[in-house]
Amino acid sequence: FTVGIVTNLRLAESFDLRFLPGMSFAERKLVYNIPVVDNNSDNSEYYSIKSTFLDFPLLLKYKSRKMNNQRPYVIGGGAVRVDISKSGQEDLVRLKPFGTYLEAGIGWDSYLQFFRLSTELKFSFGMNNILDAGPKDTQAQVYSAAFSKLTSNIVTLCFHFE
């Protein structure tokens, strides 16, 4: 779930530069072949990490011509996300709070009587390793040592009201 604002700069008839800062709430699930023993949850085969992010995407939007108050578009660019939820001291797997992403997506603008509704499907591909070595004394290292690298890949369905 994401809440944000839309900042749009029209570069040409078919091109817009968009800055969409916001705050998102997400959950990551790490799946293991062994039961995960954690004080905060039951024994299961996955470990859940809940996060709150500040998102800062900068995207280029290419729009087609308007047809009957409808307009398809493609979007692409980069984003920076900062996890502000916690320090990670209590997590079995500690993640770095800073991540960079390449983003690409498709969307559809619908021009209604009082506003524009944009439906967008966006894919974000993590560019950096977010696995943090973490404090050795507070973590069970078997859960962190299972990974040599972690990246986040995100699929987002967005509804923009402009």
Side-chain angles (χ1 to χ4, degrees), residues 21-78:
M23 178 181 273
S24 59
F25 306 95
E27 179 180 15
R28 297 176 174 130
K29 289 187 179 181
L30 304 175
V31 180
Y32 291 92
N33 293 336
I34 59 172
V36 176
V37 180
D38 183 19
N39 295 337
N40 299 329
S41 65
D42 298 332
N43 291 353
S44 64
E45 293 180 355
Y46 69 90
Y47 180 66
S48 175
I49 302 172
K50 293 180 173 70
S51 298
T52 303
F53 293 102
L54 291 179
D55 301 332
F56 302 102
L58 184 62
L59 305 167
L60 186 64
K61 178 179 179 181
Y62 174 71
K63 311 174 283 194
S64 75
R65 286 187 158 171
K66 197 187 296 188
M67 303 169 289
N68 297 326
N69 289 331
Q70 305 290 317
R71 179 183 288 197
Y73 64 88
V74 294
I75 198 160

Side-chain angles (χ1 to χ4, degrees), residues 77-144:
V80 173
R81 287 188 175 84
V82 181
D83 189 353
I84 61 169
S85 60
K86 55 190 166 195
S87 65
Q89 298 285 341
E90 68 279 359
D91 290 340
L92 290 178
V93 177
R94 186 172 172 169
L95 303 179
K96 295 176 185 173
F98 179 78
T100 56
Y101 297 83
L102 281 179
E103 297 193 339
I106 57 172
W108 193 270
D109 286 336
S110 298
Y111 294 86
L112 304 173
Q113 186 174 359
F114 297 108
F115 65 94
R116 177 174 59 195
L117 172 65
S118 301
T119 306
E120 182 178 290
L121 182 63
K122 187 169 52 176
F123 301 94
S124 301
F125 305 100
M127 300 301 295
N128 61 327
N129 182 14
I130 58 170
L131 182 63
D132 195 353
K136 303 290 187 207
D137 54 346
T138 61
Q139 287 183 296
Q141 291 299 306
V142 66
Y143 299 109
S144 293

